[in-house]
Amino acid sequence: MRNPVGWAALTAFSLAFFAFIYAPLFVIIGYSFNSNPVNMMIWEHFTFDWYTGLLGLSDRTTDVSNRAAYVESTDQMLAALRTSLTVALFTTTISTVIGTATAIALARYRFRMRGFYNGFLMLPMMMPDIVLGIGLLIFFVTIGMKLSMLTIIIGHCTFLTSYVFIIVQARIAGIDPALEEASADLGASEWVTLRKVLLPQLTPGILGGALLAFVISMDDLVITYFISGTGDTTLPVFIFGMIRRGVKPEINAIATLIILASVVIAALGLWLRSRKTD
Amino acid sequence: MSALLEIRDARRTFVTPEGGRLAALDGVSLDVSANEFVTLLGPSGCGKTTLLRAISGFETLDSGTMRLGGADLTGLPPFRRPVNTVFQSYALFGHMTVARNVGYALEVAGVAKAAREAEVAEALEKVGLAGLGARKPGQLSGGQRQRVALARAIIAKPQLLLLDEPLSALDRNLRQQMQLELKTLQHSLGIAFIFVTHDQEEALTMSDRIVVMRAGQIEQIGTPRDIYRHPKNRFVAEFIGETNLMPVTIDRVDGSEALARTAEGVELRLPASGRKPGEQVTAVLRPADFTLGASGIPATVSRAVYLGSDLYVFVQPKAGGPELRVIARDTAGVEAGATVHLSHDPARVHVLEAA
Ligand SMILES: Nc1ncnc2c1ncn2[C@@H]1O[C@H](COP(=O)(O)OP(=O)(O)OP(=O)(O)O)[C@@H](O)[C@H]1O
Ligand SMILES: [Mg+2]
């Protein structure tokens, strides 16, 4: 039945496809364990130095003569990571609550200009990052708001709310409205129905949206670049700054750690999604 | 005995997306007494669901009143109405166990857990699902889900239970079994049921009274026998069961019998009551009202369908004229092309005034 040649071609194509996607990641992971401080493309021997150095646990850095500067930059990196996590935590919470509430309101209640709101919520997602970044910067400057962690949080919320909204909305569309009617029919007020029926049914969508918001917030460079002040730098902005001074092995270590974190988060997301509700 | 549910001149008009106005309920008045099994029967789109939703509170009326146990229902939100519904899609909560689904009405009413569990067990017992409380609805068969929906709707002991085509998703055997069980349950619970279907057989077997609807209006209300034997008009006659509708002109009246003739010249005898010669009426005869025998109206068999012990026979009294449907005992010689003789009992003929 199967055409062996076609099958082999398809297999080869799939392998090539995955290699194309994952090869760069594996290269980075490999380099992060290469002890050669000058040229990471030439393998010396295996080392954890870049990780320990990154975390301020060892002395070895790429630039031994400039050790003081490097320790400082380790602290800066940890500070940037802290900023990123704080920003992601706040923006995830805020945009998940607002995005979910908006999705429920637009799906379940009829009011004027419903269609308009619907389209309007998609807009920040489709806007190029650079436009959004410049727009936010000009806005904050105009209203006289000092760039800080707060402006990053506000900036992220503007577009992350849209992501959460779209994911939760897709989930609501798949929920039989008769469920909520059955709940009301059995004596539950709207509030009780929301709590006991609609929200539990939406949980996978809400968690998925929150996870996506978290990952995007952690990852965003372009918009954050415009609206972060000198004080509070997020991890991507920090890494971007580091790269401009040359690609150092520590960057590979950071990247590898981020890949690891992403895999963990993605696995968590898949696991949550596989816990079907019906 | 005053009625449990009184509906007076209920009207509901929808503005359709095409811009037209559609009267889904066009002056519906209906009384349902306690412990009565009433079926709403009618073709698709005649307003059955709309009427049910108006009773449960999910649809508001443009005008008209509804009273339940003497209390006006107008403006009462669904969760305050002592009425429960079995939804066509069952609408079970997929994230809850069967037991929690069934006990939901008690849970939101604030009944303590221990008391709730006892009632849930009893309700599951009643619908034949004892022991399945720990499952999720997704782990049940269609018939079992149907029973969960039923148990969930009766646990709060509503005065009135609304069922919107609850059996339409089941296969034929299960359907017939559930029809009997529903009827028995209704009897033992002492709850009034309003049951929506567009299956006339289902309506005939289950109901105390049938409400036949068309285009937002009630065409006829009556017992199943009433509706079957004495339909008010062509629509009801044709909607309920197989029917031979024969437009005839009265020839002469002869004591208790009238003699009538179709346009093709087929002779029928009908009850004389009030008939006058020359009058044009429609005679309604069910397929089982004819007998095939040695004497009577001669007719040619055009088709005979074997039903087991009976034959479903299509006959033509006049070549090229309309066909009649007859149910007869399976006898030898009744086959396509054969000539048979039809006789009928005049008292069994129902007469519609209009031709
Ligand atoms: N929300 C609505 N907006 C516009 N028209 C509606 C709405 N709900 C129902 N209708 C129309 O009202 C009429 C009656 O609908 P209803 O659902 O009561 O029919 P039904 O008798 O239950 O039919 P079925 O047997 O197919 O379920 C239909 O023509 C339907 O198209
Ligand atoms: Mg319907």
Side-chain angles (χ1 to χ4, degrees), chain B residues 48-49 88 164-165 196:
Chain B
K48 305 180 295 286
T49 299
Q88 181 171 5
D164 194 353
E165 304 195 32
V196 167

Side-chain angles (χ1 to χ4, degrees), chain A residues 170-192:
Chain A
R171 178 86 195 174
I172 290 193
I175 293 180
D176 183 3
L179 289 184
E180 288 146 78
E181 291 192 347
S183 172
D185 188 72
L186 293 164
S189 63
E190 266 182 67
W191 172 243
V192 174

Side-chain angles (χ1 to χ4, degrees), chain A residues 30-219:
Chain A
Y31 285 175
S32 76
F33 296 110
N34 183 1
S35 75
N36 188 339
V38 185
N39 189 345
M40 60 179 82
M41 283 178 239
I42 297 168
W43 183 261
E44 242 180 40
H45 56 81
F46 184 89
T47 181
F48 273 124
D49 284 358
W50 312 127
Y51 291 91
T52 48
L54 202 61
L55 302 172
L57 301 174
S58 96
D59 285 346
R60 185 163 183 223
T61 63
T62 37
D63 194 351
V64 185
S65 63
N66 205 1
R67 189 177 306 153
Y70 238 90
V71 171
E72 189 192 355
S73 105
T74 298
D75 286 346
Q76 281 177 357
M77 193 209 71
L78 289 176
L81 179 63
R82 222 175 4 254
T83 307
S84 269
L85 286 171
T86 314
V87 167
L89 232 62
F90 275 102
T91 51
T92 301
T93 311
I94 296 170
S95 55
T96 302
V97 170
I98 298 180
T100 303
T102 314
I104 293 175
L106 282 179
R108 288 296 186 257
Y109 297 92
R110 317 265 142 222
F111 46 86
R112 266 178 29 186
M113 307 214 297
R114 232 174 110 252
F116 170 78
Y117 284 121
N118 235 324
F120 216 61
L121 274 159
M122 304 275 192
L123 213 57
M125 251 180 59
M126 299 194 248
M127 197 104 73
D129 282 3
I130 195 147
V131 175
L132 205 56
I134 295 173
L136 282 165
L137 176 64
I138 294 175
F139 173 74
F140 289 134
V141 169
T142 306
I143 65 166
M145 201 164 168
K146 207 171 150 301
L147 296 182
S148 65
M149 194 159 11
L150 184 63
T151 51
I152 305 178
I153 292 175
I154 294 174
H156 281 195
C157 282
T158 55
F159 63 98
L160 291 180
T161 302
S162 301
Y163 281 92
V164 175
F165 167 76
I166 285 180
I167 290 186
V168 175
Q169 195 195 35
R171 178 86 195 174
I172 290 193
I175 293 180
D176 183 3
L179 289 184
E180 288 146 78
E181 291 192 347
S183 172
D185 188 72
L186 293 164
S189 63
E190 266 182 67
W191 172 243
V192 174
T193 299
L194 178 71
R195 206 157 43 82
K196 290 188 186 260
V197 176
L198 191 55
L199 285 182
Q201 288 279 331
L202 286 178
T203 304
I206 296 174
L207 288 179
L211 226 49
L212 186 70
F214 187 86
V215 169
I216 295 177
S217 171
M218 285 295 286
D219 178 60

Side-chain angles (χ1 to χ4, degrees), chain B residues 242-327:
Chain B
E242 295 281 336
T243 310
N244 296 298
L245 288 176
M246 306 170 74
V248 291
T249 312
I250 307 290
D251 238 14
R252 66 189 146 85
V253 178
D254 208 357
S256 66
E257 272 176 38
L259 207 69
R261 214 180 280 279
T262 67
E264 295 81 29
V266 178
E267 273 196 3
L268 282 181
R269 288 172 302 138
L270 344 152
S273 56
R275 301 274 83 88
K276 290 183 290 290
E279 203 181 352
Q280 301 201 323
V281 295
T282 302
V284 181
L285 279 114
R286 300 291 176 181
D289 291 340
F290 286 109
T291 348
L292 295 191
S295 65
I297 311 160
T300 313
V301 175
S302 44
R303 207 145 47 95
V305 180
Y306 183 62
L307 296 180
S309 62
D310 289 335
L311 275 181
Y312 198 94
V313 195
F314 294 80
V315 297
Q316 261 183 329
K318 290 285 187 261
E323 267 184 346
L324 297 178
R325 300 141 191 235
V326 176
I327 287 185

